[in-house]
Amino acid sequence: QVQLVESGGGLVQPGGSLRLSCAASGVSLHNYAVGWFRQAPGKEREGVSCIGSGRGLPWYADSMKGRFTISKDNAKNTVWLQMNSLKPEDTAVYYCATSSGLGSSCQTGNGFASWGQGTQVTVSS
């Protein structure tokens, strides 16, 4: 049974930073891709960033490039999302999820089998 727990969300002013953590149990992240996704009320879920299972190659949505950084530590079974230069439009619930890689999309989260409960990120002055 895979369990993912996100943490690190909160209220931050525009231009500020947050670091989200995704702690996994019941699965070795060395063997799975991990994605960060976000969803605002009334909006569709969108991919934020993914990191591969093999060499850990990252993917970022265009609007995140240069602001967000994904990283992982397989020994700790943890993935982080460092978010800098936050904007009000970044406000959403952020989820982490794992995928075996087959038929999954980092852009939408479709095909990611296991999901955490999410952590709220609010960017407001």
Side-chain angles (χ1 to χ4, degrees):
Q1 184 178 357
V2 178
Q3 186 174 18
L4 304 172
V5 180
E6 302 97 335
S7 62
L11 175 64
V12 65
Q13 294 185 1
S17 298
L18 287 172
R19 183 166 63 180
L20 307 182
S21 296
C22 175
S25 61
V27 61
S28 174
L29 295 184
H30 183 266
N31 299 317
Y32 292 87
V34 180
W36 284 99
F37 306 87
R38 68 186 187 186
Q39 188 167 24
K43 306 293 184 181
E44 287 198 11
R45 183 179 63 205
E46 64 175 332
V48 175
S49 180
C50 287
I51 189 163
S53 62
R55 291 173 288 174
L57 299 178
W59 172 89
Y60 301 96
D62 287 342
S63 62
M64 319 301 167
K65 292 179 180 177
R67 299 192 300 126
F68 292 6
T69 303
I70 191 169
S71 61
K72 69 173 180 178
D73 187 329
N74 290 330
K76 293 183 172 65
N77 236 22
T78 301
V79 173
W80 296 271
L81 182 69
Q82 178 68 46
M83 305 188 296
N84 299 324
S85 302
L86 285 164
K87 307 172 182 179
E89 51 263 44
D90 294 319
T91 296
V93 177
Y94 284 70
Y95 302 89
C96 66
T98 61
S99 171
S100 65
L102 183 62
S104 60
S105 171
C106 288
Q107 297 186 56
T108 65
N110 292 343
F112 281 73
S114 299
W115 293 78
Q117 292 299 116
T119 185
Q120 176 71 48
V121 172
T122 302
V123 185
S124 176
S125 59

